[in-house]
């Protein structure tokens, strides 16, 4: 057998320290028991697989192992005959193999059916060795008539593999198997025989299907699957039996086997695009999802259903409620996928039913024993949000139901409700009065600072009547508690200390110091003194006392919420001043708002808060106080509060709608773009009568790499790394190609001396998450000769890796010589691709990820947007910040970027830069990730990109 046709085996680890010699193995085979022979033969097989064939042991194995009756030893012998060298240097079969063939022949006639069946399975492994198989053909044929089905089913596949490789050895195999199939009663044997006919004699397979046409629904599951494959293959051509095949597939949709149902439904959509057939296939997929217990299978079937809906959307309208029944599954991923399909099927005709179903499911999540209720509730709220925004007729019916969840303990669900209410209030002005009234009533139920901020912003922007403003002030008083905050808290502390504090002051001082003896480790005595503070303990008790929700947040250090409250109160007071002619009432509200704001600032500087007020919040609250103090003096500021913020949100919503509309239009008009000089295939000329679910033979070439896009010559040159110098005795360079999770190194060695370099070894080592798969072999290079060596390195994470090493060889007079190679740095950009996520997902990951790398900006660029584009191109990251948020002439720029690696690692980045008066850019880039490697690697990449940009400019 030529080297090109030699089989390839898996390399098995072999401990060289415990590797016995050939003589030791021979002695163990000769004198050992069956257990010793099994262990010895296992070592020989591993050694043979790893390249050490040991041909001298072939005869001892034949002599001492073949006569044994141990079934385990016989099985190991089959493994050995498969991997051992069967041919000599001239390519002729070794003489010893005659004995092996005779032993195989005896096993094929053995009275034990297990030995016969195992030997027939072994023949399938050596199907390329014609000289071994030829004497065994008559016995294989006779095994088709054996009484045991295990022998018969293996005999069928043995004949199949022999016929496929050497048709002339069994020229009548199709007729033989056809006769066998007609007389066979065992289901597995019939299936194997039918597979033979399907692959070697398709007309006979079609003939058999037509013979059993009326019994197909009652056949065994394996045979039904094989029949579906034959139907799929037969319909590649213009088969005259297509109508009959469609009726067969329709019948197979109702069998009990889930696998047969799935294959039948998939095949049916490939045979016809008739609405009834597509609807039947979709119903089958939905029933499979409902009945199947494996969540992975559910997701696969839902993916198939989604693909089918994308091609035949109009047919699915009546099945949307059936799809929603899949939500009874407990797995959140299955629910998410099913809801995604249902939302794509939602139309104005069925949206009310869909939303009603979602609301019922939402009520179920409030039950205490409901599984994964918070995640499912958030998913339902997001789905209702999508429906309400897309179909305005249902917005009024769901918005009040969703506002009940503003006080939900699950913060993400409440935040989704706030986002939904904010968008509905902006898009549907008629609903504003009822929504704002309900929001004002809900304030005491809210627990989260983020939810408070969203609700207060909505109240500040959209509460427009004087009566509602007064009601809003009353509710704010309730959630803030007694004012001023600092004075009331101090009063509580004074009450906790008691009226007779001075009387017991001396006792408190005595009780403040307590002493007790203590035995030390060496056995000596010491005095332990503890100092306690009664005042600090009472202060903590005052802090821990029950308080209104907004007051508790402010005392807990959430002054960002306090700043939003100050802004909302300022808007309400300014609006009252415009609406009401009663100056007395306006001044009263203004004084109360200013009291609340000053109270927040003062308590933020006291000992009653967990954290002091930050500078930004303090400045913003002071700005609001200043605006209210000069109520009539600054109309421009009034416009900013009352108009500009609402206009900015309206602009953002309009931009989102425009982007969504463009996306829908792009999907609707999406066409396959083909270049004028591209090669046309015959499939494009054929009639498009079915979905692309039939596997074409040419797809195999694409899967094996025949259809890969080859890189151009210039691209290949850029990946060459010089490893040694031109003056070294051995010149080396490597072509580095990244292929998925592997790095392929093609090293070219050039002997620049007049001597022969013997025992040359290329030794590689790695840093980072790189692993050398196998060590290159030893070579000999002639004078001025060339040698190409290939090495494969596995990559396990996105981390900057380094490959280094040396070349060792024996020069003249067996003197050892070496050359140290230059380092090869692996570019992580080959593993990082741009990706997209929502703002909420970005913020969640930014909070969760613990590794951060901060890179200071150092560039000669003057335009912040040009610098952003430069960083995006250098790091393969996408910009999540909308273009509208970065538009306009500004010296400041802040943008969020996101990318994902091939290994599923998320990389986040925030760019914050400013253009100085001198025209230079200052700032920093903050990178966050879950693992340290990708954060450091991206930071190094940005630093290198800045240096390259500087050198290019100079």
């Amino acid at each position: 057998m030529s080297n090109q046709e030699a089989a390839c085996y898996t390399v098995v680890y072999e401990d060289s320290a415990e590797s016995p010699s050939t003589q030791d193995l021979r002695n163990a085979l000769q004198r050992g028991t069956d257990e010793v022979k099994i262990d010895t033969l296992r070592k020989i097989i591993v050694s043979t697989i790893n390249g050490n064939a040991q041909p001298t042991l072939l005869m001892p194995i034949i002599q001492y192992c073949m006569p044994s009756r141990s079934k385990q030893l016989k099985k190991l012998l089959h493994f050995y005959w498969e991997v051992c060298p069967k041919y000599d240097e001239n390519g002729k079969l070794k003489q010893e193999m005659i004995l092996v063939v005779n032993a195989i022949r005896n096993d094929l006639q053995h009275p034990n059916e297990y030995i016969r069946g195992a030997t027939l399975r072994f023949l399938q492994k050596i199907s390329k060795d014609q000289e071994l198989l030829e004497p065994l053909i008559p016995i294989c044929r006779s095994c088709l008539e054996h009484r045991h089905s295990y022998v018969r089913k293996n005999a069928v596949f043995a004949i199949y593999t022999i016929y496929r490789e050497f048709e002339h050895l069994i020229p009548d195999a199709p007729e033989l198997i056809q006769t066998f199939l007609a007389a066979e009663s065992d289901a597995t044997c019939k299936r194997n025989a039918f597979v033979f006919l399907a692959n070697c004699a398709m007309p006979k397979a079609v003939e058999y299907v037509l013979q059993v046409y009326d019994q197909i629904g009652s056949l065994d599951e394996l045979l039904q699957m094989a029949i579906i494959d034959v139907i799929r293959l037969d319909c590649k051509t213009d088969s005259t039996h297509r109508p009959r095949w469609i009726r067969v597939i329709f019948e197979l949709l109702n069998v009990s086997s889930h696998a047969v149902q799935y294959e039948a439904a998939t095949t049916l959509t490939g045979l016809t695009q008739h609405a009834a057939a597509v609807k039947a296939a979709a119903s089958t997929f939905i029933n499979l999802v409902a009945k199947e217990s494996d969540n992975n299978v559910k997701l696969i079937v839902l993916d198939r259903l989604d693909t089918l809906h994308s091609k035949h959307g109009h047919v699915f309208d009546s099945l949307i409620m059936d799809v929603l029944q899949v939500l009874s599954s407990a797995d959140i991923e299955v629910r998410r996928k099913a809801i995604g399909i249902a939302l794509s099927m939602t139309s104005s005709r069925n949206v009310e039913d869909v939303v009603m179903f979602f609301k019922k499911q939402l009520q179920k999540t409030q039950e205490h024993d409901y599984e994964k209720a918070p995640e499912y509730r958030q998913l339902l709220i997001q789905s209702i949000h999508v429906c309400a925004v897309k179909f305005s007729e249902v917005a009024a019916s769901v918005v009040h139901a969703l506002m009940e969840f503003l006080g939900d303990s699950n913060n993400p669900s409440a935040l989704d409700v706030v986002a939904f209410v904010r968008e509905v209030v902006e898009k549907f002005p008629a609903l504003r009065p009822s929504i704002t009234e309900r929001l004002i009533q809900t304030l005491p139920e809210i627990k989260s600072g983020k939810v408070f901020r969203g609700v207060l912003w909505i109240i500040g922007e959209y509460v427009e009547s004087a009566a509602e403003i007064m009601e809003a002030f009353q509710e704010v008083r309730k959630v803030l508690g007694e004012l001023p905050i600092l004075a009331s808290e101090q009063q509580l502390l004074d009450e906790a200390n008691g009226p007779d504090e001075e009387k017991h002051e001396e006792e408190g001082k005595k009780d403040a110091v307590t002493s007790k003896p203590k035995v030390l480790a060496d056995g000596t005595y010491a005095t332990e003194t503890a100092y306690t503070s009664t005042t600090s303990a009472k202060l903590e008790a005052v802090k821990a006392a029950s308080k209104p929700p907004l007051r508790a947040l402010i005392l807990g250090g959430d002054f960002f919420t306090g700043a939003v409250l100050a802004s909302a109160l300022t808007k309400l007071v300014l609006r009252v001043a415009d609406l009401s002619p009663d100056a007395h009432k306006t001044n009263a509200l203004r004084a109360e708002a200013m009291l609340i704001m000053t109270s927040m600032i003062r308590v933020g500087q006291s000992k009653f808060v967990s954290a002091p007020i930050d500078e930004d919040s303090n400045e913003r609250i002071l700005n609001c106080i200043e605006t209210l103090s000069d109520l009539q003096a600054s109309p421009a500021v009034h416009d900013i509060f009352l108009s500009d913020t609402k206009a900015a949100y309206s602009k953002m919503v309009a931009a989102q709608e425009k982007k969504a509309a463009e996306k829908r239009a792009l999907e609707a008009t999406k066409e396959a773009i083909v270049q004028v000089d591209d090669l046309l295939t015959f499939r494009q000329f054929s009639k498009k009568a079915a979905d692309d679910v039939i596997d074409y033979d040419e797809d195999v070439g694409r899967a094996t790499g025949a259809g890969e896009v080859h890189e151009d010559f210039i691209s290949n040159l850029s990946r060459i790394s010089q490893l040694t110098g031109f003056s070294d005795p051995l010149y080396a360079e490597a072509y580095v190609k990244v292929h998925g999770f592997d790095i392929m190194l093609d090293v070219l060695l050039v002997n620049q001396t007049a001597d022969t370099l013997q025992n040359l070894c290329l030794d590689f080592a790695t840093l980072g998450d790189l692993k050398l798969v196998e060590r290159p072999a030893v070579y000999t290079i002639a004078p001025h000769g060339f040698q190409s060596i290939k090495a494969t390195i596995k990559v396990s994470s996105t981390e900057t890796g380094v490959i280094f090493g040396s070349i060792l060889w024996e020069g003249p007079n067996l003197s050892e010589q070496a050359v140290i190679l230059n380092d090869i740095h692996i570019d992580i950009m080959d593993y990082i691709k741009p990706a997209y996520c929502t703002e909420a997902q970005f913020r969640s990951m930014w909070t969760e990820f613990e590794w951060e790398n901060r890179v200071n900006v150092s560039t000669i660029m003057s335009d912040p947007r040009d610098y952003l584009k430069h960083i995006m191109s250098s790091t393969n990251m996408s910009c999540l910040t909308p273009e509208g948020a970065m538009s306009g002439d500004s010296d400041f720029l802040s943008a969020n970027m996101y990318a994902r690696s091939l290994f599923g690692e998320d990389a986040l980045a925030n760019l914050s830069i400013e253009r100085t008066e001198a025209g230079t850019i200052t700032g920093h880039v903050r990178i966050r990730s879950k693992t340290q490697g990708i954060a450091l690697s991206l930071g190094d990449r940005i630093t290198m990109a800045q240096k390259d940009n500087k050198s290019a400019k100079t």
Side-chain angles (χ1 to χ4, degrees):
M1 187 187 302
S2 63
N3 292 333
Q4 287 79 6
E5 297 176 352
C8 178
Y9 303 103
T10 304
V11 177
V12 182
Y13 173 72
E14 180 183 14
D15 191 353
S16 58
E18 300 179 0
S19 178
S21 64
T22 303
Q23 187 60 39
D24 293 339
L25 294 173
R26 181 191 296 269
N27 293 336
L29 291 173
Q30 182 176 358
R31 301 168 186 171
T33 61
D34 281 350
E35 288 73 16
V36 175
K37 291 179 181 179
I38 290 172
D39 184 63
T40 305
L41 189 55
R42 185 178 288 111
K43 293 179 181 178
I44 296 173
I45 292 173
V46 171
S47 177
T48 304
I49 289 175
N50 290 341
N52 186 13
Q54 298 182 343
T56 57
L57 293 176
L58 178 59
M59 199 60 202
I61 292 174
I62 294 173
Q63 185 175 359
Y64 301 115
C65 293
M66 277 178 36
S68 174
R69 295 187 176 183
S70 170
K71 292 183 176 61
Q72 187 177 1
L73 192 57
K74 282 185 176 295
K75 188 67 177 176
L76 282 177
L77 279 173
H78 290 166
F79 289 138
Y80 179 71
W81 303 140
E82 183 182 349
V83 301
C84 74
K86 309 174 189 63
Y87 298 86
D88 57 19
E89 293 81 359
N90 299 323
K92 295 183 178 180
L93 192 68
K94 291 184 177 181
Q95 296 296 323
E96 295 90 338
M97 297 307 295
I98 297 176
L99 300 175
V100 175
V101 172
N102 188 55
I104 296 173
R105 182 187 181 90
N106 293 335
D107 287 342
L108 288 175
Q109 296 173 322
H110 200 281
N112 186 304
E113 61 272 8
Y114 168 77
I115 294 179
R116 277 202 187 195
T119 308
L120 287 166
R121 292 190 65 180
F122 162 67
L123 292 184
Q124 301 172 35
K125 306 292 182 63
I126 60 170
S127 59
K128 294 184 180 294
D129 299 308
Q130 179 179 351
E131 296 181 48
L132 292 178
L133 296 173
E134 194 167 0
L136 307 175
I137 298 299
I139 304 177
C140 289
R141 297 173 66 111
S142 66
C143 287
L144 290 173
E145 302 172 1
H146 194 272
R147 59 179 177 81
H148 204 285
S149 61
Y150 178 73
V151 178
R152 298 198 302 273
K153 71 178 184 180
N154 284 300
V156 171
F157 269 171
I159 292 176
Y160 169 46
T161 53
I162 295 172
Y163 180 79
R164 187 177 56 189
E165 296 295 334
F166 308 105
E167 185 176 337
H168 63 279
L169 294 181
I170 320 178
D172 61 336
E175 292 78 11
L176 177 66
I177 297 300
Q178 186 180 24
T179 305
F180 170 83
L181 180 59
E184 182 57 53
S185 59
D186 182 76
T188 307
C189 296
K190 292 172 71 175
R191 179 257 180 187
N192 290 2
F194 186 75
V195 168
F196 174 94
L197 295 179
N199 288 275
C200 300
M202 176 59 76
K204 296 184 183 299
V206 173
E207 180 183 347
Y208 175 77
V209 175
L210 295 176
Q211 290 175 0
V212 297
Y213 185 82
D214 297 329
Q215 296 86 31
I216 289 179
S218 59
L219 294 176
D220 182 74
E221 173 187 352
L222 293 175
L223 189 54
Q224 288 176 342
M225 296 281 284
I227 289 175
I228 292 175
D229 287 336
V230 167
I231 291 175
R232 188 182 293 123
L233 292 171
D234 187 54
C235 286
K236 284 184 180 181
T237 60
D238 293 332
S239 175
T240 58
H241 305 294
R242 183 181 290 267
R244 305 185 71 178
W245 294 155
I246 294 175
R247 288 196 294 272
V248 168
I249 297 299
F250 262 107
E251 184 178 356
L252 292 177
L253 291 177
N254 302 315
V255 298
S256 58
S257 170
H258 291 176
V260 175
Q261 288 182 6
Y262 177 79
E263 290 295 332
T266 305
T267 304
L268 182 61
T269 57
L271 297 181
T272 177
Q273 289 185 335
H274 193 273
V278 173
K279 191 171 182 179
S283 300
T284 302
F285 286 139
I286 295 172
N287 292 333
L288 281 176
V289 176
K291 295 178 181 178
E292 181 60 46
S293 58
D294 192 336
N295 290 327
N296 293 321
V297 176
K298 288 177 183 285
L299 292 172
I300 292 172
V301 178
L302 285 173
D303 281 333
R304 183 62 197 158
L305 184 65
D306 192 16
T307 304
L308 196 62
H309 172 255
S310 64
K311 298 180 180 180
H312 311 278
H314 61 285
V315 182
F316 281 63
D317 291 344
S318 61
L319 299 175
I320 185 168
M321 299 310 295
D322 296 332
V323 173
L324 289 176
Q325 297 302 321
V326 178
L327 297 181
S328 59
S329 172
D331 186 73
I332 190 66
E333 293 301 326
V334 174
R335 287 171 170 171
R336 183 175 286 109
K337 187 69 178 178
I339 286 180
I341 297 174
L343 290 179
S344 64
M345 297 167 62
T346 305
S347 63
S348 58
R349 293 188 297 272
N350 54 30
V351 64
E352 293 184 359
D353 295 333
V354 173
V355 171
M356 183 64 66
F357 184 88
F358 285 157
K359 289 168 66 175
K360 290 180 180 178
Q361 291 290 311
L362 202 55
Q363 293 172 357
K364 290 182 180 180
T365 60
Q366 294 179 303
E367 301 174 3
H368 294 291
D369 56 345
Y370 200 84
E371 188 175 0
K372 295 184 179 179
E375 297 179 52
Y376 187 35
R377 187 183 307 135
Q378 183 181 1
L379 182 60
L380 289 170
I381 291 172
Q382 293 171 350
S383 305
I384 294 175
H385 182 180
V386 172
C387 291
V389 172
K390 190 174 181 181
F391 305 97
S392 58
E393 60 267 23
V394 299
S397 64
V398 299
V399 65
H400 294 284
L402 287 185
M403 280 193 287
E404 296 177 2
F405 295 92
L406 284 173
D408 194 353
S409 57
N410 182 32
N411 194 31
S413 299
L415 287 176
D416 288 334
V417 174
V418 169
F420 167 64
V421 173
R422 185 172 57 196
E423 192 168 351
V424 170
V425 166
E426 170 60 31
K427 288 187 174 182
F428 308 109
L431 300 177
R432 289 176 184 175
S434 60
I435 292 176
T436 52
E437 181 182 359
R438 183 73 177 87
L439 284 177
I440 293 171
Q441 297 171 358
T442 313
L443 280 176
E445 304 172 5
I446 300 175
K447 305 178 182 65
S448 166
K450 291 183 178 179
V451 179
F452 255 121
R453 293 196 288 271
V455 171
L456 288 172
W457 185 88
I458 296 173
I459 291 174
E461 292 292 346
Y462 298 101
V463 173
E464 297 176 346
S465 67
E468 284 187 339
I469 292 175
M470 298 300 295
E471 185 183 356
F473 265 87
Q474 291 178 3
E475 292 298 329
V476 168
R477 292 190 204 108
K478 291 180 182 179
V479 295
L480 272 178
E482 186 179 354
L483 294 173
I485 301 176
L486 178 59
S488 60
E489 292 295 316
Q490 184 64 48
Q491 182 180 356
L492 287 176
L493 181 60
D494 295 341
E495 292 175 357
N497 289 333
D500 53 349
E501 180 181 2
E502 295 180 359
K503 179 180 177 181
H504 299 287
E505 186 176 355
E506 295 297 326
E507 296 179 7
K509 290 181 179 178
K510 293 179 182 179
D511 295 337
V513 181
T514 58
S515 303
K516 62 179 180 179
K518 184 177 181 181
V519 181
L520 300 180
D522 58 356
T524 59
Y525 287 90
T527 301
E528 181 181 43
T529 304
Y531 293 89
T532 60
S533 174
T534 306
T535 305
S536 62
K538 291 181 179 179
L539 177 61
E540 292 299 326
V542 170
K543 287 183 179 181
S546 176
K547 294 179 175 61
L550 189 54
R551 186 190 193 98
L553 288 171
I554 292 173
L555 292 177
D558 189 0
F559 289 99
F560 183 28
T561 301
V564 175
L565 172 63
S567 176
L569 294 178
T570 304
K571 294 173 185 176
L572 294 178
V573 173
L574 292 175
R575 194 168 288 119
V576 165
D578 294 339
L579 294 174
S580 176
D582 190 350
H584 177 72
K585 183 186 296 185
T586 303
N587 288 335
L589 286 180
R590 178 170 62 166
E592 184 176 357
M594 293 174 70
L595 174 62
I596 293 174
M597 297 177 200
T598 54
S599 178
M600 286 190 293
I601 292 178
R602 290 198 63 196
V603 79
Q605 298 168 347
S606 70
K607 60 185 177 182
F608 292 99
V609 292
S610 302
I613 186 170
D614 58 282
E615 185 179 347
D616 290 340
S617 299
N618 185 52
E619 183 179 354
R620 190 175 182 192
I621 296 174
L622 286 175
N623 287 338
C624 293
I625 295 175
E626 184 179 356
T627 301
L628 292 180
S629 63
D630 299 330
L631 197 58
Q632 305 297 331
S634 305
V637 177
H638 299 182
D639 293 338
I640 292 174
F641 274 100
L642 296 179
S643 303
D644 290 358
T645 53
K646 185 188 295 186
Y649 180 67
S650 302
K651 184 179 179 182
M652 187 182 78
V653 172
Q656 290 177 350
E657 289 182 345
K658 182 180 178 182
K659 188 175 182 181
E662 291 175 352
K663 184 178 180 181
R664 289 193 298 268
L666 182 63
E667 292 176 353
T669 60
K670 191 174 182 180
E671 297 180 358
I673 300 175
V674 180
Q675 298 296 328
V676 294
D677 56 347
D678 282 354
L679 182 65
L680 296 178
T681 62
F682 288 106
R683 192 190 307 179
Q684 289 172 304
F685 289 112
S686 63
K687 182 180 178 181
K688 182 68 175 178
D691 291 348
D692 292 332
V693 297
I694 298 178
D695 296 328
Y696 289 81
D697 293 336
E698 54 264 32
D699 291 341
V700 177
R702 191 182 306 123
T704 55
E708 290 183 355
V709 178
H710 298 284
E711 296 181 344
D712 58 3
F713 181 69
I714 301 300
S715 175
N716 291 341
L717 287 180
S718 65
R719 295 180 177 272
I720 293 178
S721 301
Q722 183 177 340
L723 302 181
T724 63
F726 292 108
S727 60
D728 289 324
L730 192 67
Y731 174 75
E733 65 181 20
Y735 168 60
V736 184
K737 183 176 182 181
V738 178
H739 188 272
F741 303 112
D742 297 335
I743 297 176
M744 312 296 294
L745 294 181
D746 189 352
V747 183
L748 174 65
L749 303 179
V750 181
N751 183 2
Q752 301 190 107
T753 67
D755 302 319
T756 300
L757 306 183
Q758 299 180 352
N759 295 329
L760 184 141
C761 178
L762 180 61
D763 190 13
F764 278 125
T766 59
L767 283 178
D769 288 337
L770 306 177
K771 183 180 179 182
L772 190 64
V773 175
E774 56 183 340
R775 191 178 300 276
V778 177
Y779 299 91
T780 299
I781 305 181
H784 305 290
F786 296 82
Q787 180 65 50
S788 178
I789 302 176
K790 291 181 173 59
T792 304
I793 295 174
K794 288 283 184 183
V795 185
S796 57
S797 72
T798 312
E799 184 176 348
T800 301
V802 179
I803 304 173
F804 59 95
S806 60
I807 305 176
L808 307 174
W809 72 89
E810 293 180 358
N813 302 322
L814 300 180
S815 59
E816 292 188 359
Q817 299 183 23
V819 171
I820 305 299
L821 303 179
N822 295 330
D823 296 344
I824 302 175
H825 293 267
I826 302 303
D827 189 0
I828 65 167
M829 291 302 105
D830 292 323
Y831 299 99
I832 294 179
K833 304 298 179 186
Y836 295 90
C837 66
T838 63
E839 182 182 357
Q841 291 172 334
F842 183 91
R843 291 183 181 273
S844 175
M845 287 188 289
W846 187 269
T847 306
E848 176 187 354
F849 292 171
E850 55 185 0
W851 289 103
E852 178 172 320
N853 187 11
R854 178 173 172 144
V855 181
N856 292 324
V857 174
S858 175
T859 180
I860 58 177
M861 289 184 174
S862 58
D863 190 349
R865 290 175 185 78
D866 290 344
Y867 182 77
L868 173 62
K869 294 177 182 178
H870 176 63
I871 294 299
M872 289 171 58
S873 62
S874 302
T875 58
N876 284 352
M877 303 188 82
S878 59
C879 182
L880 302 181
T881 305
E883 184 65 30
M886 298 186 294
S887 61
D889 187 13
S890 174
D891 291 336
F892 299 90
L893 177 64
S894 178
N896 294 331
M897 294 178 287
Y898 177 62
R900 177 180 281 267
S901 72
L902 294 179
F903 308 96
E905 301 166 314
D906 297 302
L908 312 177
N910 173 260
L911 173 68
S912 298
I913 54 178
E914 175 187 0
R915 180 165 51 195
T916 62
E917 295 180 357
T920 59
I921 295 177
T922 61
H924 56 265
V925 182
R926 296 167 64 193
I927 305 164
R928 285 197 182 182
S929 65
K930 185 173 288 187
T931 57
Q932 181 184 19
I934 190 170
L936 294 177
S937 301
L938 279 176
D940 295 341
R941 181 69 181 183
I942 292 174
T943 304
M944 292 174 58
Q946 292 184 146
K947 291 181 179 178
D948 293 344
N949 184 260
K950 281 185 177 181
S951 60
K953 294 285 185 181
T954 55

